[in-house]
Amino acid sequence: MAAANFERALALVLVHEGGYVDHPADPGGATNLGVTIGTLSDWLGRPATKAEVKALTKVSVAPIYRRNYWNAVRADELPSGVDYCVFDFAVNSGKGRAIPSLQRALSVADDGKLGPLTLAAATSKDAGQTIERICADRLAFLRRLSTWPTFGRGWTARVEGVRAEAMALAAFAVPTVSVEVAPLPPPVANRSQSSAPPAGPTVQTGGLGAWLKSLFLKKAA
């Protein structure tokens, strides 16, 4: 499907996430490259410090993004463009918001369980339409948050950027075409043999023909 899109999607996410911030109005607390101090603590299995958050690099956060977000929304199995759209939503608001939004966009039950039914619907639906619906749903959710007056302008810019990049990924996706392989025909006989005329009846020179010839010669003598 879109397994090769992770690195591209992560690079786009990190552009939106930016560097180290510790905004008092942000409930996530100290954050660097989109990884909050709480997320890093879960990853390390112990309380992380702000210094450790500040020291994060793109290389060190990549495995966190892949396991916690990309794999969590089964992005490798989603169409190109839809994978990035859902991935970024999960990073920004959690997979508990991103997966039901995907399901609503696909008109399937929004139970938050990303199983075969949801994946089949995602594959069969137009990727561009799915992306548009997810982004609209995402903005509607963000507008309901109490922190919208503080972060609304930035969130709007992010969602619009995600929509544009996701649509571009969907537009340039290489479709997977199933090819039926027909069985090989039986081998053709050698042309020189097949074009040869059928053999005529065998003419025997002995027997009755020989007797008549000898009788004719006797009369002539």
Side-chain angles (χ1 to χ4, degrees):
M1 267 292 178
N5 279 359
F6 172 70
E7 290 185 7
R8 172 64 177 163
L10 178 58
L12 292 169
V13 164
L14 294 181
V15 168
H16 291 296
E17 291 296 338
Y20 181 79
V21 291
D22 190 10
H23 199 290
D26 189 344
T31 305
N32 189 14
L33 298 171
V35 176
T36 67
I37 192 166
T39 299
L40 183 58
S41 296
D42 291 340
W43 180 262
L44 297 175
R46 59 169 176 78
T49 65
K50 289 186 177 183
E52 287 175 315
V53 174
K54 193 175 288 189
L56 289 172
T57 64
K58 293 180 180 179
V59 173
S60 64
V61 301
I64 300 175
Y65 275 101
R66 179 176 278 280
R67 190 191 73 176
N68 288 9
Y69 305 104
W70 185 265
N71 292 348
V73 299
R74 300 179 68 170
D76 282 340
E77 300 169 75
L78 294 174
S80 187
V82 177
D83 53 359
Y84 165 57
C85 185
V86 178
F87 172 57
D88 188 87
F89 195 171
V91 169
N92 198 208
S93 303
K95 68 175 185 177
R97 294 282 180 186
I99 293 173
S101 180
L102 167 66
Q103 293 172 321
R104 286 190 291 274
L106 299 171
S107 299
V108 300
D110 58 344
D111 57 6
K113 298 175 183 177
L114 215 171
L117 184 64
T118 302
L119 293 173
T123 303
S124 64
K125 302 278 185 165
D126 178 73
Q129 187 179 69
T130 302
I131 291 164
E132 292 282 6
R133 289 178 174 178
I134 292 171
C135 290
D137 188 62
R138 181 176 177 180
L139 270 177
F141 159 68
L142 291 171
R143 287 192 182 100
R144 295 193 297 268
L145 297 179
S146 61
T147 49
W148 174 262
T150 304
F151 300 109
R153 186 175 179 181
W155 286 340
T156 300
R158 176 171 183 159
V159 173
E160 287 305 312
V162 168
R163 186 194 66 78
E165 290 287 354
M167 293 293 278
L169 285 169
F172 289 99
V174 178
T176 302
V177 180
S178 59
V179 179
E180 279 190 31
V181 180
L184 291 174
V188 179
N190 185 281
R191 184 174 295 275
S192 61
Q193 293 176 352
S194 62
S195 60
T202 304
V203 179
Q204 296 182 350
T205 55
L208 181 61
W211 179 78
L212 289 172
K213 184 179 179 181
S214 66
L215 183 61
F216 175 78
L217 290 174
K218 286 179 181 179
K219 286 183 179 180

